[in-house]
């Protein structure tokens, strides 16, 4: 397996970034969706949300540098050519992939601002605290909450579309689209 992308396949670094981000982002979305179901007016559920919060925050703060590095890697490497498919599918594929990257880079930043505007410190898995950059502000917190939630659901939809397209290429079109991103041992 080659480190760098070629015209016909993704390299090991791109594949590693892809699958690491898959695990981090799907875990993060699952935690976010679950915590939204908690009724924080009920003391036990409020305590549970506080216990879960460091994981949501820490994973988000992990996603940011990993996604930024993956995006830079992607920009600096050859992009494999598409397998034969209609031009509109190529455009849609590129748009969905780029939007996913943009959102997974922006979401942690929005979450950072939201947390500080709420009046909480931003910590990395409760190991250390980031400097305070934003004062408590109900208006800013609410605006960032709305952006964070909207981007989170948008990301979830884009990931479903991305996954469905990959499965369609594998099962219906029987082409190499999905196989090119899978680890070679699969």
């Amino acid at each position: 397996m080659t480190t760098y992308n070629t015209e016909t396949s993704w390299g090991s670094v791109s594949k590693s970034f892809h699958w690491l981000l898959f695990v981090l982002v799907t875990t993060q979305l699952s935690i976010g969706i679950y915590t939204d179901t908690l009724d924080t007016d009920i003391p036990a559920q409020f305590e549970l949300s506080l216990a879960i919060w460091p994981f949501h925050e820490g994973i988000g703060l992990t996603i940011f540098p990993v996604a930024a590095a993956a995006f830079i890697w992607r920009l600096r490497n050859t992009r494999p050519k598409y397998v034969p498919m209609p031009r509109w599918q190529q455009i849609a594929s590129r748009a969905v992939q780029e939007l996913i990257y943009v959102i997974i880079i922006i979401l942690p930043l929005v979450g950072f601002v939201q947390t500080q505007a709420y009046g909480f410190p931003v910590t990395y898995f409760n190991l250390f605290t980031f400097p305070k950059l934003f004062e408590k502000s109900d208006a800013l917190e609410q605006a960032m909450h709305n952006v964070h939630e909207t981007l989170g659901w948008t990301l979830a939809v884009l990931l479903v579309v991305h996954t469905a397209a990959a499965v369609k290429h594998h099962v219906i079109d029987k082409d190499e689209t999905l196989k090119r991103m899978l680890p070679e041992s699969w």
Side-chain angles (χ1 to χ4, degrees):
M1 177 184 339
T2 179
T3 302
Y4 296 95
N5 302 339
T6 68
E7 286 192 359
T8 58
S9 68
W10 296 99
S12 61
V13 174
S14 292
K15 289 179 182 183
S16 297
F17 275 133
H18 181 273
W19 293 108
L20 175 59
L21 285 168
F22 168 80
V23 169
L24 290 170
V25 170
T26 55
T27 300
Q28 185 71 331
L29 284 171
S30 299
I31 291 170
I33 291 167
Y34 175 71
T35 57
D36 272 355
T37 67
L38 298 176
D39 182 350
T40 55
D41 291 331
I42 299 171
Q45 291 189 25
F46 178 72
E47 291 299 319
L48 179 58
S49 73
L50 290 178
I52 292 171
W53 182 252
F55 295 100
H56 185 71
E57 194 172 51
I59 292 169
L61 292 168
T62 301
I63 288 171
F64 176 74
V66 173
F71 190 70
I72 291 166
W73 179 262
R74 187 178 178 105
L75 292 175
R76 298 181 56 87
N77 279 272
T78 300
R79 182 183 177 88
K81 291 182 179 181
Y82 289 101
V83 298
M85 69 178 78
R87 180 82 176 126
W88 73 266
Q89 286 183 14
Q90 294 176 14
I91 293 168
S93 170
R94 185 72 177 252
V96 167
Q97 290 172 30
E98 300 307 325
L99 280 171
I100 288 171
Y101 269 109
V102 168
I103 291 173
I104 64 177
I105 289 170
I106 291 173
L107 257 175
L109 299 174
V110 171
F112 184 98
V113 175
Q114 178 189 351
T115 300
Q116 288 197 343
Y118 193 77
F120 286 147
V122 175
T123 67
Y124 187 71
F125 292 107
N126 281 337
L127 298 174
F128 63 87
T129 302
F130 285 86
K132 186 176 183 181
L133 302 176
F134 300 92
E135 294 299 321
K136 182 170 175 25
S137 166
D138 292 341
L140 180 59
E141 187 279 328
Q142 188 59 53
M144 292 298 100
H145 172 81
N146 292 340
V147 171
H148 196 73
E149 189 167 6
T150 300
L151 288 176
W153 282 109
T154 301
L155 178 60
V157 169
L158 289 170
L159 292 174
V160 167
V161 168
H162 180 70
T163 303
V167 170
K168 176 243 184 217
H169 278 282
H170 187 69
V171 174
I172 296 172
D173 299 341
K174 299 191 184 317
D175 65 30
E176 297 295 310
T177 300
L178 177 60
K179 289 180 184 175
R180 294 190 315 176
M181 186 53 81
L182 292 174
E184 297 218 358
S185 61
W186 286 17

